[in-house]
């Protein structure tokens, strides 16, 4: 047995430490009441919006695609209507005099629906663009309701700000770094990229490999995307389905959406084989004859005859074959 | 400034917890601080290391403090009074074994020491909890009662492996016990480093696979000191005095002093 490495010995402690850090961040976010709460006109608030210039061009950073379950929104509307707002929303002042939402889009929408003119808000005055995004992301990441897709997109956006490049640039750097880390390639990733990426991942408690594995989520076709967002498909299953032949997608979504990863894989394989088998019969009857002969060669060797069920089934099949031939 | 409550923990026996506690107490006293050593170890040697008789009755020990009818009359014993005037001790020892049953039955179990410190505060600037050599009930008691944690290890694989399990436990249990604010791990003190032992050199070396300093740094945990193996240190403990009183000229005293200063910085700057 080789000696235990430090990596192995520290594994548990490192994980527990990360947990504790997230816990304290959560707490810090929960303690926002030490900031003053003010009332702000609902129509003066706009959703999280971050713009920046790349090579002289003004660009609006893609919004995290937020999906709000209509039923949950109804419940929230109902609750605010009967009991009022529990937790204030968080905003920052924008240059045009409006307020950009950092946290609480659902609560804000509920106020719009109810026609309440003002909302309780905590105003954060000195937040930069990436500070705002990081803040929003940190609150989001800590909430169970954010989908992996939204989370991935938010992290890419944040990295795009920090690394000063666009989405595809960030993805290139992440992939290069991941390959480098796995020892597949030897290219040098610039030290500052390294520091930025690990800094962001560390502060959010994410792993490089995990993030890279989720990147293909951003390329899902819209119909799969929507099902992930609505919680009908798990991200893993959506990825599996997207890689299967396109003509199987409808069938796989309806039959395989709720299956485990392994079962879905089996289903896809089986369907592919069925398709291949059908193709066989059309093109090559010779192959079929061969398969039948080779199957019959096993008649003496198999112990299926000892199993009453299998034996009965064989008898039925034999009768069918005899009739056909 | 609040009271600094430092729990000295390890997950192995003979790592030098009590030695460290006694010497830090002495150095803190030299910095003008008042200190109370608290024995939280049923098998502990605190009495021996500070030159006190073993307690005869459980009312002379921490056991009394953990009892539900504790009235605030702390069983304080003066320590090294002829040399320093601000060190006291509350002894642990075998009587604590019986009190474990108390801890198990009381609804506030793990919080009993913390409760007593809240209801009947000690006047000292610093409390040093001398914990058992394995994670058990009194570790919970100390974790609840402390504000900071110091971990001691020998540079041996067994100690290091167990040490990280202890650190894992500290984070997990803070969550389970819902301790707020979080107890801060001040850092790790290495005890008994011997340059002539290959394993010690490897653990304190630069190979990322086996280097403890690199592992600690990656976790943002401070390696406070690496203290060499020292016969004089053992002799001083056996004689119930800190090294500073036994061999005032020994260099290791400077290291203990620096640990004490670090503790003061951490506690008083917060």
């Amino acid at each position: 047995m080789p000696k235990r490495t430090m990596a192995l010995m520290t594994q548990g402690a490192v994980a527990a430490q990360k947990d504790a850090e997230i816990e304290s961040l959560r707490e810090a976010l929960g303690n926002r009441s030490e900031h003053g709460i003010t009332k702000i006109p609902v129509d003066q608030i706009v959703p999280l919006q971050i713009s920046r210039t790349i090579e002289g061009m003004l660009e609006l950073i893609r919004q995290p695609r937020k999906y709000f379950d209509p039923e949950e929104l109804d419940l929230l509307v109902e609750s605010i209507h009967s009991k009022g707002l529990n937790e204030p929303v968080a905003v920052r002042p924008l240059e045009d005099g409006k307020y950009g939402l950092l946290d609480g889009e659902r609560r804000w929408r509920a106020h719009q629906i109810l026609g309440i003119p003002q909302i309780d808000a905590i105003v954060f005055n000195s937040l930069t663009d990436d500070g705002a995004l990081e803040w929003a992301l940190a609150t989001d990441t800590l909430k169970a309701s954010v989908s992996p897709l939204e989370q991935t997109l938010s992290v890419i956006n944040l990295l795009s700000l920090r690394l000063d490049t666009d989405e595809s640039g960030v993805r290139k750097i992440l992939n290069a770094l991941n390959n480098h880390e796995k020892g597949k390639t030897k290219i040098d990733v610039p030290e500052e990229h390294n520091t930025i990426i690990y800094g962001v991942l560390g502060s959010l408690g994410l792993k490089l490999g995990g993030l890279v594995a989720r990147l293909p989520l951003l390329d899902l076709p819209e119909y799969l995307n929507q099902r992930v967002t609505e919680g009908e498909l798990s991200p893993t299953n959506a990825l599996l389905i997207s890689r299967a032949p396109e003509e199987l997608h409808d069938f796989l979504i309806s039959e395989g959406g709720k299956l485990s990863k392994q079962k879905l894989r089996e289903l896809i394989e089986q369907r592919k084989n069925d398709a291949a088998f059908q193709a066989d019969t059309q093109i090559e009857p010779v192959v079929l004859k061969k398969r039948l002969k080779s199957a019959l060669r096993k008649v003496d060797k198999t112990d299926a005859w000892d199993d009453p069920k299998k034996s009965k089934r064989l008898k039925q099949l034999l009768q069918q074959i005899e009739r056909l031939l | 400034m609040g009271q600094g409550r430092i729990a000295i923990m390890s997950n192995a026996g003979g790592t030098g917890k009590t030695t460290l506690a006694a010497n830090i107490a002495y150095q803190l006293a030299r910095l003008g601080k008042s200190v109370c050593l608290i024995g939280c170890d049923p098998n502990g040697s605190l009495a021996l290391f500070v030159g006190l008789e073993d307690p005869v009755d459980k009312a002379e020990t921490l056991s009394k403090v953990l009892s539900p009818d504790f009235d605030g009359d702390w069983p304080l014993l003066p320590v090294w009074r002829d040399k320093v005037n601000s060190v006291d001790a509350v002894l642990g020892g075998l009587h604590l074994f019986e009190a474990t049953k108390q801890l198990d039955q009381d609804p506030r179990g793990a919080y009993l020491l913390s409760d007593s410190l809240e209801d009947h505060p000690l006047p000292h600037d610093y409390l040093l909890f001398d914990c058992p050599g394995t994670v058990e009930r009194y570790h919970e008691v100390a974790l609840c009662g402390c504000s900071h944690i110091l971990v001691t290890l020998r540079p041996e694989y067994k100690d290091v492996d167990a040490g990280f399990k202890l650190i894992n436990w500290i984070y997990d249990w803070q969550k389970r016990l819902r301790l707020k604010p979080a107890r801060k791990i001040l850092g790790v003190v290495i005890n008994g480093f011997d340059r002539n032992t290959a394993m010690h050199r490897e653990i304190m070396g630069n190979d990322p696979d086996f280097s403890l300093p690199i592992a600690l740094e990656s976790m943002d945990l401070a390696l406070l000191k690496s203290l060499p193996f020292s016969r004089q240190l053992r002799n001083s403990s056996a004689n119930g005095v800190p090294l500073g009183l036994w061999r005032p000229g020994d260099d290791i005293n400077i290291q203990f002093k620096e640990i004490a200063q670090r503790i003061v910085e951490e506690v008083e700057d917060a």
Side-chain angles (χ1 to χ4, degrees):
Chain A
M1 275 290 281
K3 246 187 310 191
R4 282 193 185 187
T5 58
M6 279 293 158
L8 200 63
M9 291 195 280
T10 56
Q11 216 170 33
V14 168
Q17 190 187 36
K18 269 277 160 306
D19 268 7
E21 277 166 15
I22 291 181
E23 185 70 25
S24 71
L25 183 56
R26 194 194 296 269
E27 207 178 302
L29 294 170
N31 279 342
R32 288 179 314 223
S33 51
E34 57 202 51
H35 297 262
I37 299 173
T38 37
K39 285 200 181 295
I40 286 181
V42 169
D43 58 9
Q44 288 297 302
I45 292 177
V46 294
L48 177 69
Q49 209 172 64
I50 287 155
S51 57
R52 53 130 181 208
T53 13
I54 279 194
E55 290 160 13
M57 302 274 287
L58 186 71
E59 181 189 88
L60 210 65
I61 289 206
R62 266 213 279 171
Q63 284 282 339
R65 279 165 278 194
K66 294 232 169 168
Y67 171 77
F68 296 102
D69 187 333
E71 267 179 45
E72 280 181 34
L73 189 60
D74 281 351
L75 283 176
L76 186 64
V77 167
E78 184 56 39
S79 142
I80 291 178
H81 181 63
S82 56
K83 291 179 220 142
L85 182 62
N86 260 336
E87 194 191 345
V89 298
V91 297
R92 64 171 181 148
L94 300 177
E95 281 175 12
D96 57 4
K98 295 197 168 180
Y99 292 90
L101 259 185
L102 295 169
D103 178 33
E105 186 160 349
R106 218 194 294 240
R107 278 162 278 161
W108 170 63
R109 287 198 192 190
H111 275 65
Q112 285 180 320
I113 292 170
L114 287 166
I116 305 174
Q118 288 191 318
I119 188 166
D120 284 344
I122 302 166
V123 183
F124 288 82
N125 279 315
S126 48
L127 269 186
T128 58
D129 272 358
D130 58 342
L133 187 58
E134 190 161 15
W135 207 98
L137 182 55
T139 8
D140 270 358
T141 324
L142 298 177
K143 283 182 191 161
S145 62
V146 172
S147 77
L149 188 81
E150 290 166 348
Q151 200 192 62
T152 308
L153 192 61
S154 306
V155 180
I156 299 296
N157 282 343
L158 182 59
L159 284 173
S160 145
L161 268 176
R162 289 281 166 84
L163 297 168
D164 199 21
T165 176
D166 57 9
E167 186 183 316
S168 74
V170 174
R171 292 175 66 166
K172 265 184 211 147
I173 297 172
L174 286 176
N175 280 317
L177 192 60
N178 192 42
N179 286 335
H180 181 67
E181 204 177 60
K182 284 190 191 155
K184 282 190 194 163
T185 51
K186 283 277 172 219
I187 48 154
D188 277 332
V189 177
E191 191 55 39
E192 71 263 30
H193 284 178
N194 241 324
T195 320
I196 291 173
I197 291 171
Y198 282 110
V200 167
L201 292 180
S203 71
L204 297 168
L206 298 171
K207 291 239 177 332
L208 178 66
L211 181 62
V212 169
R214 280 179 176 184
L215 288 178
L217 281 178
L218 303 176
D219 303 327
L220 285 181
E222 192 47 42
Y223 59 94
L224 286 176
N225 200 338
Q226 196 184 342
R227 288 187 162 82
V228 174
T229 319
E230 288 168 10
E232 280 175 33
L233 270 183
S234 73
T236 329
N237 282 4
L239 283 177
L240 279 176
I241 293 178
S242 77
R243 286 184 208 128
E246 210 170 328
E247 60 269 22
L248 298 179
H249 284 194
D250 282 341
F251 166 77
L252 291 173
I253 292 169
S254 65
E255 297 297 310
K258 300 282 179 216
L259 293 178
S260 69
K261 186 176 162 187
Q262 193 48 40
K263 287 264 182 280
L264 177 59
R265 251 198 207 127
E266 285 168 16
L267 182 66
I268 292 174
E269 275 314 302
Q270 189 196 329
R271 271 281 142 157
K272 276 192 192 159
N273 286 340
D274 286 355
F277 181 72
Q278 278 167 18
D280 271 358
T281 55
Q282 281 161 15
I283 307 160
E284 294 252 45
V286 184
V287 178
L288 260 188
K289 288 181 191 168
K290 267 190 186 167
R291 284 179 61 176
L292 187 58
K293 277 180 191 164
S294 100
L296 288 176
R297 249 176 256 134
K298 290 180 192 155
V299 165
D300 287 330
K301 292 174 203 156
T302 180
D303 46 13
W305 303 105
D306 303 334
D307 181 329
K309 272 188 190 167
K310 285 185 182 169
S311 165
K312 193 179 168 191
R313 181 90 184 109
L314 278 168
K315 193 178 164 189
Q316 290 168 348
L317 288 170
L318 181 61
Q319 281 170 353
Q320 286 180 20
I321 291 175
E322 281 171 343
R323 252 179 267 136
L324 281 168
L325 298 175
Chain B
M1 178 204 108
Q3 189 175 49
R5 300 176 182 171
I6 321 295
I8 298 172
M9 295 186 175
S10 86
N11 197 4
T15 54
K17 285 176 301 293
T18 313
T19 305
L20 193 61
N23 280 281
I24 292 176
Y26 175 72
Q27 294 295 341
L28 281 170
R30 301 240 310 171
L31 293 172
K33 311 293 178 189
S34 57
V35 186
C36 184
L37 285 155
I38 298 185
C40 300
D41 184 358
N43 298 309
S45 37
L46 183 62
L48 174 67
F49 283 24
V50 297
L52 292 170
E53 298 283 324
D54 279 330
V56 178
D57 189 90
K58 69 176 179 188
E60 298 165 28
T61 71
L62 186 67
S63 213
K64 176 184 183 188
V65 180
L66 301 175
S67 134
D69 44 18
F70 177 56
D71 55 3
D73 181 19
W74 288 82
L76 290 175
L77 297 167
V79 172
W80 312 312
R81 205 44 116 237
D82 49 336
K83 306 285 181 190
V84 284
N85 59 11
S86 59
V87 180
D88 294 310
V90 174
L91 294 179
L94 275 178
H95 292 290
L96 292 188
F97 175 71
E98 210 183 327
T100 316
K101 296 185 180 86
Q102 175 76 39
L103 294 176
D104 286 338
Q105 283 164 9
D106 195 287
R108 292 287 295 168
Y111 301 88
L112 283 174
L113 176 57
S114 163
D115 288 353
S116 290
L117 285 169
E118 188 182 320
D119 297 343
H120 312 286
L122 281 168
H124 307 75
D125 299 324
Y126 289 88
L127 309 181
L128 300 177
F129 304 138
D130 181 30
C131 299
T134 168
V135 174
E136 46 100 287
R137 212 64 173 112
Y138 282 98
H139 260 96
E140 278 183 358
V141 170
L143 186 65
C144 289
C146 76
S147 60
H148 294 76
I149 298 153
L150 207 62
V151 175
T152 70
L153 300 173
R154 283 172 312 165
E156 309 264 337
Y157 279 98
K158 169 187 172 292
D159 281 40
V160 173
D161 189 52
F164 280 112
K165 289 189 174 113
L166 169 69
I167 290 171
N168 186 351
W169 176 85
I170 290 169
Y171 285 119
D172 280 350
W173 240 247
Q174 297 216 40
K175 203 166 157 187
R176 290 279 290 274
L177 294 164
R178 306 194 176 195
L179 300 181
K180 306 249 162 74
R183 277 38 172 176
K184 186 173 177 196
I185 301 180
L186 277 175
V188 175
V189 175
I190 302 295
N191 238 323
F193 175 70
D194 174 12
R195 201 168 295 283
N196 296 320
T197 304
M199 185 193 277
H200 289 199
R201 288 197 307 271
E202 182 171 64
I203 287 179
M204 297 308 289
N206 301 321
D207 179 348
D209 279 347
F210 300 107
S211 162
L212 176 65
I214 293 176
L216 289 174
E217 199 188 335
S218 75
M219 292 181 70
D220 212 9
L221 291 172
L223 174 58
L224 293 179
K225 282 290 168 203
S226 170
L227 304 174
F229 175 81
S230 156
R231 286 186 183 78
Q232 292 304 344
L233 192 53
R234 289 180 158 197
N235 290 340
S236 69
S237 296
N239 282 281
V241 286
L243 187 65
L245 291 178
W246 183 253
R247 288 285 182 276
D250 195 310
D251 282 349
I252 302 179
N253 287 310
I254 300 170
Q255 315 231 36
F256 284 130
K257 185 181 175 188
E258 285 170 3
I259 298 174
Q261 282 168 334
R262 177 68 178 266
I263 290 174
V264 171
E265 275 168 32
E266 283 279 349
V267 171
E268 304 194 1
D269 285 354

